[in-house]
Amino acid sequence: MHQKNACFLVIGNEILSGRTQDANIQVLACALNEQGIRLTEVRIIPDIAERIISTVGECRARFDMVFTSGGIGPTHDDITALCVAEAVGVRLIRHEESFRRLETHFASKNFNEARQRMAWLPEGATTIENSVSVAPGFSIGNVHVMAGVPKIFAAMVKWLVPQLEGGTPLVSASWHSPTLYEGDLAQGLEAIQSDFPHLDIGSYPYERKNGRGVALVAKGYDPAAVQSAAGRIHALISSLGANPIEGEPAPDQT
Amino acid sequence: MHQKNACFLVIGNEILSGRTQDANIQVLACALNEQGIRLTEVRIIPDIAERIISTVGECRARFDMVFTSGGIGPTHDDITALCVAEAVGVRLIRHEESFRRLETHFASKNFNEARQRMAWLPEGATTIENSVSVAPGFSIGNVHVMAGVPKIFAAMVKWLVPQLEGGTPLVSASWHSPTLYEGDLAQGLEAIQSDFPHLDIGSYPYERKNGRGVALVAKGYDPAAVQSAAGRIHALISSLGANPIEGEPAPDQT
């Protein structure tokens, strides 16, 4: 079965300048996995209209779905809705239901021109609800536009993604060892990958405050094959004289 | 003066699957800022040869410099060197100095075929040194290929970036306030942006365990203009009855 693929456009100078550490990619990736949608590209681009328009235009044609984060607030650098309308080829119009909600939320004296801008969406868009903020995200065609603020982004993902048509969920199984090195298991791991061509067999060195090691991961859409490959990974680690530990290594305690 | 621009390609299924939280983008972005090189796009792509080759090919033509992370270890999914050679149009050859270093580092019995692969680089490449690992990164033309493991990546960035021809460093100044909302300052902020068209004037809502607020940032290559714009930001916050606090809000204590 064809797995739907997705591209995530992170719109924001603040990530590219190093000011802000991204917190949204992992949230979206994990939600899409559960829904059987594969995140196959992420692009982080600046708040420049021509870059947003051309990138949305290219990616909505190349991927089954496009998700965006950032640029839907009330300030001058919030230009995502306008750019997505342009890329999709529709007008920006006032979304009446969103306008009324914002008007109710803000006292009439605070519902200024800047805040009213948040109710202007591409014609034909449907809103993405969230429990945190009254400012709407929206979907138009295969483009899903969400907020950049992590708490609001996560709430929008939680509301939206379970409604999207996906496929079989991605599943994975892992073993790790603090005494092995990638160079020692590369040959054995390649043999496992050859025997399971439809799975991703990955090898990930890790560093922790109290030591290092390698995690080996089998990932794919066939749970039985993933379990078989994980059994082979276990046997490979054992055959090299190490003690396989199930799952991923624990993160450092902070 | 033309600011050199750069694209960063993060090569790794583990970021796209949500397994791993990226830690390298911010490190590279900050190092490039200091060197006066502007990171204007990041792409995260999977370990698939055709995707790596086409993306490197496209980005090396579109941007002044391309940086990559990931895929230079000894395992079957480490295909970055081969793909970059293909994209640049040169052969992969054994880099003799790297080979000798690896041979010295690993006892002869451990210097197996998988580890020897790490010494195969595109013809004409120069190596990127680092203090952590003996496996080399490399530069070929405007493409700079580095490790994905954060500690090694950071060491390679630290060695490489100060040697690149850059320009004026990017500087920024910020004020924040825990009592303001974006919608209240949007109009005033837009006026500041209009008066400083060569700066980025950004507005970033933040959430902390003990509250929320908005940070306002002026950023650009002209320190005097950045300071003037920051003065205007200070005045704007004060004019709205709030108390401006210099700099960025402190992160949550973890």
Side-chain angles (χ1 to χ4, degrees), chain B residues 67-90:
Chain B
F67 300 86
T68 78
S69 71
I72 63 168
T75 62
H76 66 277
D77 51 354
D78 289 310
I79 56 176
T80 301
L82 185 62
C83 294
V84 169
E86 175 87 18
V88 173
V90 299

Side-chain angles (χ1 to χ4, degrees), chain B residues 175-199:
Chain B
W175 292 92
H176 69 279
S177 163
T179 61
L180 278 189
Y181 289 85
E182 280 196 302
D184 295 317
L185 49 79
Q187 195 186 351
L189 202 66
E190 187 167 10
I192 301 175
Q193 177 70 80
S194 303
D195 291 343
F196 294 92
H198 297 298
L199 303 184

Side-chain angles (χ1 to χ4, degrees), chain A residues 16-19 21-22 26 29 33 40-44 46 51 76 112 114-115 151 183-184 186 201 248, chain B residues 16-19 21-22 26 29 33 40-44 46 51 76 112 114-115 183-184 186 201 219 248:
Chain A
L16 292 170
S17 73
R19 177 189 178 275
Q21 165 72 44
D22 162 75
Q26 196 170 30
N33 285 344
T40 59
E41 186 157 322
V42 176
R43 295 195 194 182
I44 308 177
R51 294 281 298 279
H76 66 276
N112 56 24
R115 289 196 168 105
K151 202 164 141 190
D184 295 316
I201 308 294
E248 295 280 349
Chain B
L16 293 170
S17 73
R19 177 190 178 275
Q21 166 72 43
D22 162 74
Q26 195 169 31
N33 284 344
T40 59
E41 186 158 323
V42 176
R43 295 195 192 183
I44 310 177
R51 294 281 298 278
H76 66 277
N112 57 24
R115 290 195 167 108
D184 295 317
I201 308 294
K219 202 180 306 148
E248 295 280 349

Side-chain angles (χ1 to χ4, degrees), chain A residues 74-124:
Chain A
T75 62
H76 66 276
D77 52 353
D78 290 309
I79 56 175
T80 302
L82 186 62
C83 294
V84 169
E86 176 87 18
V88 173
V90 299
R91 294 181 307 159
L92 204 64
I93 61 165
R94 202 170 88 173
H95 188 268
E96 294 306 327
E97 192 193 325
S98 298
F99 188 85
R100 280 191 300 271
R101 280 198 207 182
L102 287 159
E103 195 174 32
T104 306
H105 178 79
F106 294 106
S108 58
K109 78 172 170 65
N110 285 329
F111 193 44
N112 56 24
E113 200 178 328
R115 289 196 168 105
Q116 290 179 28
R117 282 185 61 208
M118 295 192 285
W120 287 73
L121 306 183
E123 188 165 18

Side-chain angles (χ1 to χ4, degrees), chain B:
Chain B
M1 139 170 212
H2 170 69
Q3 289 294 330
K4 293 266 170 74
N5 63 53
C7 176
F8 180 26
L9 303 181
V10 178
I11 300 167
N13 292 339
E14 71 277 20
I15 310 282
L16 293 170
S17 73
R19 177 190 178 275
T20 304
Q21 166 72 43
D22 162 74
N24 293 338
I25 294 170
Q26 195 169 31
V27 167
L28 180 63
C30 293
L32 292 177
N33 284 344
E34 284 183 31
Q35 195 66 10
I37 298 165
R38 188 145 205 176
L39 182 62
T40 59
E41 186 158 323
V42 176
R43 295 195 192 183
I44 310 177
I45 59 173
D47 308 330
I48 297 172
E50 63 194 37
R51 294 281 298 278
I52 301 173
I53 295 166
S54 65
T55 307
V56 170
E58 178 190 340
C59 293
R60 70 189 275 268
R62 277 187 52 190
F63 300 92
D64 294 325
M65 299 171 208
V66 176
F67 300 86
T68 78
S69 71
I72 63 168
T75 62
H76 66 277
D77 51 354
D78 289 310
I79 56 176
T80 301
L82 185 62
C83 294
V84 169
E86 175 87 18
V88 173
V90 299
R91 294 180 308 159
L92 205 64
I93 62 164
R94 202 170 88 175
H95 188 268
E96 293 305 327
E97 192 194 327
S98 297
F99 187 86
R100 280 191 300 272
R101 280 197 206 183
L102 287 159
E103 194 174 36
T104 306
H105 178 80
F106 294 105
S108 58
K109 79 173 171 59
N110 285 329
F111 193 43
N112 57 24
E113 200 178 326
R115 290 195 167 108
Q116 291 178 28
R117 281 185 61 208
M118 296 191 284
W120 286 73
L121 305 183
E123 189 165 18
T126 56
T127 55
I128 298 175
E129 308 293 319
N130 81 91
S131 52
V132 182
S133 154
V134 72
F138 62 87
S139 300
I140 179 146
N142 65 342
V143 183
H144 306 282
V145 174
M146 297 182 281
V149 175
K151 202 164 142 187
I152 306 176
F153 180 82
M156 288 182 169
V157 165
K158 192 176 170 185
W159 185 88
L160 173 69
V161 172
Q163 303 180 50
L164 300 174
E165 193 191 332
T168 317
L170 184 71
V171 293
S172 68
S174 327
W175 292 92
H176 69 279
S177 163
T179 61
L180 278 189
Y181 289 85
E182 280 196 302
D184 295 317
L185 49 79
Q187 195 186 351
L189 202 66
E190 187 167 10
I192 301 175
Q193 177 70 80
S194 303
D195 291 343
F196 294 92
H198 297 298
L199 303 184
D200 275 338
I201 308 294
S203 157
Y204 305 109
Y206 60 84
E207 302 250 5
R208 295 291 183 274
K209 281 176 187 150
N210 58 1
R212 38 86 39 218
V214 180
L216 301 179
V217 182
K219 202 180 306 148
Y221 295 100
D222 175 350
V226 167
Q227 284 314 313
S228 300
R232 292 275 302 277
I233 287 171
H234 180 280
L236 171 64
I237 296 176
S238 300
S239 75
L240 294 165
N243 183 29
I245 306 169
E246 191 157 16
E248 295 280 349
D252 277 328
Q253 300 301 316
T254 52

